[in-house]
Amino acid sequence: AVLQGQLSQLGAMDDMLLHRKEQHAKDRAATAELIRLTQAQEAWTKAQQDEARAAQARLRQQGIRAEVDVLKAVLETLEDIQRKMVETAFNTILAKANRVTSGILKSDLAYRDGEIGRYQAGTWISHRVFSGTEKAIAYAGISAALASTAPIRIVMIDELGRLDPENKESLLTRMGYLIEAGDLDQFVGCDVPGSTYASDVTHIEL
């Protein structure tokens, strides 16, 4: 009876140990599952944070591109306004200058792409390639246009000798007309010795 009792105790201990092993195995499995779930949660959280940061970066980039586009549009608008203002200013000046040069030059002075010139038979001729006579007449016209808004409206040309007699007479006649019309106060020109003038032109020989 004693032996049977001891055997029963040993069997109960074995069952207890087996139960403990099974419990430990379940605990380890639960711990492993908990770790896996925690890692999965952390990975998901990190992925969400990464996606949020990426989305913010995309928004910032889109915002920067939008700002750049706006700045480009503003700059283009300002450049267009500036170009139109310059063209308007030059067209106003050249309209006055052409009162001097019209009929003397072969065509009116014009402004294109940042420079002064004239069109002849549809071809643009820059002032840089004007002949000496053309330059003298064009600059006289521009000087008269600029002088028309000055307190003392005087036009001075020191190269009348570059003009042939016909163009010189036309220029002097036009200057006299502008003085009579009240657009100029005086015209002063320098010529080579021996030049002749109409009786109504005051000249001084030095």
Side-chain angles (χ1 to χ4, degrees):
V2 174
L3 180 61
Q4 186 175 1
Q6 291 178 345
L7 290 175
S8 297
Q9 289 178 354
L10 289 174
M13 291 179 62
D14 289 339
D15 290 340
M16 185 178 63
L17 291 174
L18 179 61
H19 176 72
R20 286 182 177 178
K21 288 181 179 180
E22 291 176 351
Q23 188 61 42
H24 287 163
K26 289 179 180 180
D27 290 343
R28 286 195 298 271
T31 301
E33 180 64 14
L34 179 60
I35 293 173
R36 185 188 70 78
L37 291 174
T38 300
Q39 291 174 341
Q41 176 66 28
E42 291 175 349
W44 182 84
T45 301
K46 184 178 182 301
Q48 291 296 107
Q49 292 173 345
D50 291 343
E51 178 60 26
R53 283 193 291 269
Q56 291 175 352
R58 287 193 297 270
L59 288 174
R60 284 195 298 270
Q61 189 174 14
Q62 291 173 359
I64 291 172
R65 283 199 297 266
E67 289 179 3
V68 170
D69 291 340
V70 169
L71 289 175
K72 285 182 178 179
V74 170
L75 181 60
E76 289 175 359
T77 300
L78 290 176
E79 288 177 345
D80 185 57
I81 292 173
Q82 183 183 34
R83 182 169 56 252
K84 289 179 179 178
M85 290 176 64
V86 171
E87 288 178 358
T88 299
F90 268 97
N91 288 336
T92 301
I93 293 172
L94 293 181
K96 295 179 180 180
N98 283 324
R99 295 181 62 189
V100 175
T101 63
S102 180
I104 304 177
L105 293 178
K106 294 181 179 179
S107 57
D108 286 346
L109 295 172
Y111 177 80
R112 191 192 79 168
D113 298 334
E115 69 172 0
I116 295 173
R118 62 184 183 86
Y119 286 98
Q120 184 170 332
T123 300
W124 174 254
I125 302 174
S126 169
H127 71 96
R128 294 184 179 88
V129 295
F130 280 8
S131 66
T133 298
E134 288 177 323
K135 286 182 178 179
I137 295 171
Y139 297 160
I142 294 172
S143 296
L146 295 174
S148 66
T149 58
I152 302 176
R153 298 168 299 175
I154 299 177
V155 173
M156 301 183 65
I157 300 178
D158 62 354
E159 295 182 331
L160 286 178
R162 300 176 67 176
L163 303 180
D164 58 62
E166 182 180 354
N167 282 326
K168 186 187 301 181
E169 182 179 354
S170 296
L171 180 62
L172 293 175
T173 300
R174 195 65 54 83
M175 289 298 176
Y177 168 77
L178 293 175
I179 292 172
E180 290 178 359
D183 294 323
L184 289 180
D185 294 323
Q186 190 56 265
F187 168 76
V188 178
C190 296
D191 203 352
V192 295
S195 300
T196 58
Y197 298 95
S199 59
D200 59 342
V201 176
T202 301
H203 60 281
I204 301 173
E205 293 186 5
L206 300 176

